[in-house]
Amino acid sequence: MELRGCRKNETIEPEYFFHPKLKDRQKQKKGDLVRLHFVLNHTSENDPRAERMWVEITEKKLFSHKYIGILTNQPTYINSLHAGDKIDFEPKHIGRIIIPKGDQRWLDSGEKMALVSNKCLEESACDRWLYRETPDREEDSGWRLFEGTETDKYNSDSSNIRIVNIYSLLDKDPSLITPLRGAPGTAFERENINSRWIRQDRWPVQLKQM
């Protein structure tokens, strides 16, 4: 696939991440926003393996289902790409679409952020405990996610907590759709990745005043 403005070591990764169904990716049209995943083949130990960025579709090629779009945000790690650059891509490269309200995958907090323990983001790790506070910022969903073995000392170190988009969490673990529908004040836990989420109604969360 040709990516205009990309170096040879930068490509869109088509299959590594969870993505929408093929029929949904093929139905995108001019003006829609889609997220693409650009793989970084030569990175340092602390750099991500891919950079996920939004592209606005400006043209859909007839018969081939191929798209042309404009990069809408400035890359952090890819120096050869810039906001406004033209991108050629196919439905298989779409990592995420804007989910319309009314869709069963839609969440009221989907585009907002959560505080997530670094332990949850480790390879082969899973979220085992999460709760929702009343957020005090517009961009905050109120969700706090943990792997379950964190200590108070670990959680008190801000470097051990990441700010992550809610829909990005669903990319990694679609089973989170169940607890993430919970209102502020709710909490859920499970034993492992294959276990059912259980709501903790007696969890003594202290809600912030609105």
Side-chain angles (χ1 to χ4, degrees):
M1 170 184 169
E2 178 185 1
L3 290 177
R4 299 180 184 176
C6 285
R7 296 174 181 171
K8 292 183 178 179
N9 69 327
E10 297 163 355
T11 57
I12 288 180
E13 183 173 63
E15 301 297 341
Y16 185 81
F17 295 96
F18 173 81
H19 49 61
K21 293 180 180 179
L22 179 60
K23 65 178 182 180
D24 291 331
R25 289 177 272 145
Q26 291 177 336
K27 290 193 299 185
Q28 300 305 295
K29 60 187 183 301
K30 182 178 179 180
D32 286 345
L33 285 172
V34 295
R35 194 179 68 186
L36 308 182
H37 300 159
F38 296 79
V39 173
L40 304 172
N41 294 328
H42 302 290
T43 60
S44 65
E45 182 179 350
N46 296 323
D47 287 340
R49 289 179 296 176
E51 189 159 8
R52 308 177 185 189
M53 294 181 284
W54 289 97
V55 171
E56 180 180 350
I57 296 174
T58 57
E59 180 181 346
K60 184 174 183 179
K61 298 181 179 179
L62 295 177
F63 307 112
S64 67
H65 292 293
K66 293 183 178 180
Y67 298 105
I68 297 176
I70 298 296
L71 193 65
T72 63
N73 54 287
Q74 182 63 35
T76 301
Y77 298 94
I78 303 177
N79 296 325
S80 59
L81 278 179
H82 303 279
D85 282 352
K86 184 181 292 187
I87 307 292
D88 289 359
F89 61 99
E90 301 176 38
K92 68 180 180 180
H93 298 117
I94 297 175
R96 218 182 87 202
I97 61 176
I98 297 295
I99 300 175
K101 189 173 183 178
D103 189 290
Q104 63 180 356
R105 299 161 296 176
W106 182 84
L107 289 173
D108 63 345
S109 61
E111 297 297 342
K112 297 186 177 183
M113 311 304 287
L115 298 182
V116 183
S117 165
N118 282 340
K119 287 181 177 287
C120 295
L121 304 175
E122 294 175 357
E123 190 171 355
S124 300
C126 80
D127 314 297
R128 292 185 175 88
W129 166 252
L130 69 160
Y131 65 88
R132 191 177 191 184
E133 298 178 322
T134 299
D136 55 12
R137 296 182 180 180
E138 176 62 29
E139 67 274 15
D140 181 18
S141 69
W143 283 109
R144 315 295 182 237
L145 289 81
F146 303 91
E147 186 266 343
T149 62
E150 296 88 350
T151 63
D152 289 341
K153 181 179 179 181
Y154 182 92
N155 290 334
S156 64
D157 185 345
S158 60
S159 66
N160 292 326
I161 305 297
R162 296 278 297 277
I163 300 175
V164 183
N165 174 270
I166 290 291
Y167 278 136
S168 293
L169 293 173
L170 287 174
D171 286 349
K172 181 176 182 291
D173 182 4
S175 76
L176 284 168
I177 189 70
T178 298
L180 288 176
R181 295 192 188 281
T186 56
F188 296 83
E189 68 175 350
R190 63 180 174 180
E191 292 185 4
N192 55 59
I193 192 68
N194 298 314
S195 300
R196 181 173 62 89
W197 285 104
I198 300 174
R199 178 167 172 165
Q200 302 301 304
D201 291 323
R202 296 186 178 182
W203 181 64
V205 60
Q206 297 296 321
L207 293 181
K208 299 177 181 178
Q209 297 297 316
M210 294 295 288

